[in-house]
Amino acid sequence: MAPTKKSNSSESINSRLALVMKSGKSSLGYKSTLKSLRSGKSKLVIISGNTPPLRKSEIEYYAMLAKTNVHHFNGNNIDLGTACGKYFRVGTLSITDAGDSDILKTEA
Amino acid sequence: MPKFLKNGKVVIILQGRYAGKKAVIVKNVDEGTKERPYGHAIVAGIERYPLKVTKSMDKKKVASRSHVKPFIKVVNYAHLMPTRYSLELEEIKAAVSAETFAEPSQRAAAKKAVRNSLQQRYTAGKNKWFFTKLRF
């Protein structure tokens, strides 16, 4: 099996995420991303590659209502958790404050 | 990144007795109160949808099949699924408020008012999606 595609943009999404984790605010996990979407605090939603399609479309619908961008992470929840620097899996995450990162400009 | 759970938004109730029924947000309380320390909304919804009517039915039958049974409820945001639809609700907003839920007689009066306004809407042919049963 070929290793996960590490093209230019997916390298930098990982590094941007790391910067957000360090300098900005985010909420990891399905329940908290829905909460942040409902309250309007979410600026960007990232969904991992292996979330079930029903949950994925539910989050996309919420984001459409909240006019929030969605990024489909190229990798599964284990990879997304690693990209956030955590030792657990992360299926969905919401960025509420980007800090020093430019993730919102490039993903918007 | 605005909030979208506002007055007039049509939502689908996800949990409880009214799961699968459509409702409209009358008043939303984002921060919560002392008794309800979570984001919640007062909704008015349809408990029993009007039945299908066809051209071949006579007036009496159409009238009896077009009844709408409403409900009013205070629901946690987590138990609602918002939709892109909305419903303008001047009369309903006046009838239902936070104090309505204190006493059963007030609830009954509010439900009557909601029923009247929803019935008018349905017979006028507005907000058709709201009055169709969600099939699942």
Side-chain angles (χ1 to χ4, degrees), chain B residues 82-123:
Chain B
T83 65
R84 61 181 170 87
Y85 298 92
S86 58
L87 195 70
E88 19 152 302
L89 43 53
E90 269 322 306
E91 318 97 48
I92 307 184
K93 202 151 47 143
V96 185
S97 68
E99 313 95 52
T100 329
F101 291 91
E103 256 189 60
S105 55
Q106 282 182 320
R107 282 194 194 219
K111 270 196 247 191
K112 220 185 220 160
V114 173
R115 176 157 55 86
N116 285 333
S117 66
L118 283 183
Q119 192 81 52
Q120 281 172 8
R121 287 282 173 88
Y122 174 65
T123 44

Side-chain angles (χ1 to χ4, degrees), chain B residues 8-12 21-25 44-46 49-50 68 71 83 85-87 92 114 118 121-122 126-134:
Chain B
K9 191 86 170 156
V10 173
V11 296
I12 301 180
K21 304 288 196 298
K22 295 179 190 164
V24 60
I25 295 185
I46 303 193
Y49 290 93
V68 171
F71 67 87
T83 65
Y85 298 92
S86 58
L87 195 70
I92 307 184
V114 173
L118 283 183
R121 287 282 173 88
Y122 174 65
K126 297 201 230 150
N127 309 117
K128 285 229 173 83
W129 185 81
F130 184 72
F131 292 102
T132 46
K133 190 162 144 174
L134 186 66

Side-chain angles (χ1 to χ4, degrees), chain B residues 38-51:
Chain B
Y38 45 80
H40 58 278
I42 302 180
V43 300
I46 303 193
E47 184 174 335
R48 194 166 46 221
Y49 290 93
L51 297 167

